[in-house]
């Protein structure tokens, strides 16, 4: 199962989330293509402007690789789309939904 979260972004290296990030390779490196989209500012690496997106992603699927399961689906993988970082616009949410249906590389 892969979950998609739309929020303020993500701290993908958070201990409760890093093991379940679909963009984490076996060697511990990260591949953000097909796993992260910033519909707000087009940044190529995950960021979280307020911590809210990291919190919500933890509620969905946090806890893999740590001794405390905090999410409702801790074995699921996650991808993230940042649409909330300033003014909310329907177009940002639509870009995120499109990304979840057909993930693409960072160049679009």
């Amino acid at each position: 199962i892969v979950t998609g979260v739309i929020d303020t972004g993500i701290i993908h290296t958070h201990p409760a989330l890093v093991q379940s990030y679909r963009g984490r390779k076996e060697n511990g490196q990260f591949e953000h293509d097909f796993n992260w989209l910033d519909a707000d500012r087009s940044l190529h690496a995950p960021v979280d402007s307020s911590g809210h997106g990291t919190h919500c992603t933890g509620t969905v699927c946090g806890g893999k690789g740590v001794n405390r399961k905090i999410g409702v689906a801790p074995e699921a993988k996650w991808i993230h789309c940042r649409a909330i970082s300033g003014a909310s616009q329907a177009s940002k949410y639509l870009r995120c939904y499109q990304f979840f249906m057909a993930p693409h590389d960072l160049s679009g």
Side-chain angles (χ1 to χ4, degrees), residues 95-108:
R95 282 188 64 202
C96 289
Y97 290 128
Q98 289 173 333
F99 174 72
F100 291 153
M101 295 301 292
H104 52 75
D105 64 17
L106 295 170
S107 66

Side-chain angles (χ1 to χ4, degrees), residues 7-44:
D7 212 294
T8 60
I10 186 78
I11 300 170
H12 66 287
T13 56
H14 188 287
L17 298 172
V18 67
Q19 296 293 324
S20 56
Y21 177 37
R22 192 176 74 173
R24 184 179 183 274
K25 298 180 184 180
E26 287 185 26
N27 66 5
Q29 299 296 312
F30 299 100
E31 177 62 57
H32 302 306
D33 285 329
F34 305 95
N35 301 300
W36 159 258
L37 175 68
D38 187 343
D40 186 58
R41 299 202 177 131
S42 301
L43 299 177
H44 288 244

Side-chain angles (χ1 to χ4, degrees), residues 33-98:
D33 285 329
F34 305 95
N35 301 300
W36 159 258
L37 175 68
D38 187 343
D40 186 58
R41 299 202 177 131
S42 301
L43 299 177
H44 288 244
V47 296
D48 190 345
S49 56
S50 72
H52 189 267
T54 302
H55 169 79
C56 289
T57 304
T59 301
V60 173
C61 57
K64 185 173 183 171
V66 295
N67 62 358
R68 185 169 158 228
K69 306 299 183 209
I70 59 173
V72 295
E75 297 300 318
K77 296 284 187 185
W78 59 266
I79 62 177
H80 200 94
C81 184
R82 180 167 88 146
I84 307 169
S85 177
S88 276
Q89 296 173 342
S91 61
K92 294 177 189 179
Y93 291 96
L94 289 173
R95 282 188 64 202
C96 289
Y97 290 128
Q98 289 173 333

